[in-house]
Amino acid sequence: MRMKSILSRRAFTALAGAAVIATAMPVPSFAADVTIPIIVKDTTSFYWQIVLAGARKAGKDLGVNVPELGAQAESDINGQISILENAVAGKPAAVVISPTEFKALGKPIDEAAKSVPIIGIDSGADSKAFKSFLTTDNVQGGRIAADGLAAAIKEMTGKEEGEVVILTNLPGVGSLEQRREGFLDQVKTKYPGLKVIADKYGDGQATTGLNMMTDLITANPNLVGVFASNLILGQGVGQAIAENKLGDKIKVIAFDSDEKTVGFLKEGSLAGLVVQDPYRMGYDGIKTALAVSKGEKVEENVDTGANLVTKANMSDPKIEALINPKIQ
């Protein structure tokens, strides 16, 4: 599961006319008849590498060629649109995609769906063309984060009260907006003692999360809690808490996990991680796309689940499998 070994096993191919890359694994000869590309938001992110690993395993199990495609940053919206157009031009059996931005990917997905079936994973788009959509219930994920944060604050102070902030990685991303919505709604209805004093957006970079968190620490001495809505922000916020040695004074719940954020959890810089099942999204995304390409009936919406990981439960076998997935 080491990052270096993962990346070294990938071959990167430049796509003409777009500042993006597409990763492609060697294709078994038996898989040549059926091609189903998977397009993720960011091939450099550990989370998306887990998604790709699931898709890769599905390709091997099902005898399908699965080109692994994606930009190098979740903010590269135009890059993902170009990748989608190029993938469709290759006339695959279907395409699996996680849209980078809800509005911007709507029309491109509508257009792509005129030629091939489109399966959505993780994040939505302003389109009704998806044959099936597999994702975490992100609103519920936000609620889980609020419950986890309230519990951590209560354990620290004895009460579910105090100033908290919510940090969202990028504006306009369907899954992130839903997490934010769920978190804010749960705080409002269930935890009236928690006061949201800041609701900020980043630019897709972990260093921005670090800087945002550092500024919030300086400006808000009574801050007791933070919700960081994705892995990149979790890395940045966790680093800020670690550098300032504030794990016993400010509790942080982040979304998704990698070696770095799990390390922050172990040392106490993060109080919890809301963990999805990205491997399942990748695997079942390809499996569903193959079924659709054969004319089989599939579920329109599939909830792939989310769990709160803390120091108390991280050694549970089910949780261990989610935070330490097998990537081959």
Side-chain angles (χ1 to χ4, degrees):
M1 198 181 69
R2 294 292 182 268
M3 187 74 68
K4 185 175 180 181
S5 63
I6 295 168
L7 293 177
S8 66
R9 296 175 61 183
R10 293 224 172 93
F12 292 100
T13 304
L15 288 173
V20 295
I21 62 167
T23 62
M25 299 301 295
V27 179
S29 58
F30 64 80
D33 293 337
V34 178
T35 295
I36 300 176
I38 182 168
I39 304 172
V40 299
K41 297 179 183 181
D42 176 2
T43 58
T44 70
S45 164
F46 183 70
Y47 175 85
W48 294 110
Q49 288 168 5
I50 299 172
V51 173
L52 293 176
R56 190 181 314 132
K57 183 62 164 61
K60 291 178 180 178
D61 289 350
L62 301 171
V64 174
N65 174 27
V66 181
E68 300 171 20
L69 310 176
Q72 287 186 286
E74 293 193 18
S75 57
D76 190 1
I77 298 169
N78 290 333
Q80 193 186 56
I81 292 171
S82 295
I83 290 172
L84 174 61
E85 291 171 347
N86 280 315
V88 171
K91 298 181 179 180
V95 170
V96 178
I97 186 171
S98 178
T100 53
E101 204 275 337
F102 183 81
K103 289 290 185 183
L105 269 292
K107 288 184 178 179
I109 287 173
D110 284 342
E111 191 64 29
K114 295 177 182 178
S115 302
V116 299
I118 305 294
I119 305 300
I121 59 171
D122 185 79
S123 296
D126 190 12
S127 172
K128 299 185 183 301
F130 293 110
K131 295 295 185 181
S132 183
F133 192 71
L134 299 86
T135 186
T136 303
D137 181 340
N138 282 292
V139 174
Q140 178 62 16
R143 295 192 186 106
I144 291 171
D147 289 341
L149 186 59
I153 291 170
K154 184 176 182 179
E155 183 178 356
M156 176 178 63
T157 66
K159 51 190 177 181
E160 295 167 344
E161 296 180 3
E163 296 179 352
V164 302
V165 301
I166 178 170
L167 303 178
T168 303
N169 190 44
L170 288 165
V173 179
S175 58
L176 302 186
E177 293 296 346
Q178 290 165 0
R179 293 170 197 172
R180 174 181 172 275
E181 174 191 338
F183 179 85
L184 291 172
D185 180 68
Q186 191 79 336
V187 167
K188 180 179 179 180
T189 58
K190 193 174 179 180
Y191 306 108
L194 297 180
K195 181 181 178 183
V196 179
I197 61 167
D199 182 0
K200 295 181 176 294
Y201 287 89
D203 61 1
Q205 303 298 319
T207 52
T208 301
L210 168 63
N211 294 335
M212 289 169 66
M213 190 66 234
T214 301
D215 291 344
L216 285 164
I217 290 169
T218 302
N220 302 280
N222 297 321
L223 184 66
V224 296
V226 180
F227 172 42
S229 70
N230 84 332
L231 177 62
I232 293 171
L233 276 182
Q235 292 170 344
V237 172
Q239 185 175 342
I241 296 296
E243 289 180 355
N244 289 279
K245 297 180 172 58
L246 291 173
D248 60 344
K249 294 183 179 180
I250 299 176
K251 297 302 177 181
V252 180
I253 302 294
F255 226 95
D256 298 326
S257 68
D258 67 352
E259 187 173 356
K260 187 171 186 178
T261 54
V262 170
F264 285 144
L265 179 64
K266 289 178 179 177
E267 70 182 35
S269 297
L270 297 179
L273 299 167
V274 180
V275 178
Q276 307 177 80
D277 194 343
Y279 190 94
R280 180 185 172 190
M281 284 187 203
Y283 191 101
D284 285 0
I286 297 300
K287 183 178 179 180
T288 302
L290 179 61
V292 168
S293 73
K294 293 178 177 179
E296 298 174 10
K297 186 176 180 180
V298 298
E299 294 289 332
E300 290 185 9
N301 293 283
V302 179
D303 179 5
T304 53
N307 295 271
L308 179 67
V309 180
T310 65
K311 287 179 72 173
N313 71 358
M314 63 190 304
S315 60
D316 179 272
K318 177 184 176 182
I319 299 298
E320 173 71 17
L322 291 173
I323 61 177
N324 292 306
K326 295 180 180 178
I327 298 182
Q328 299 175 348

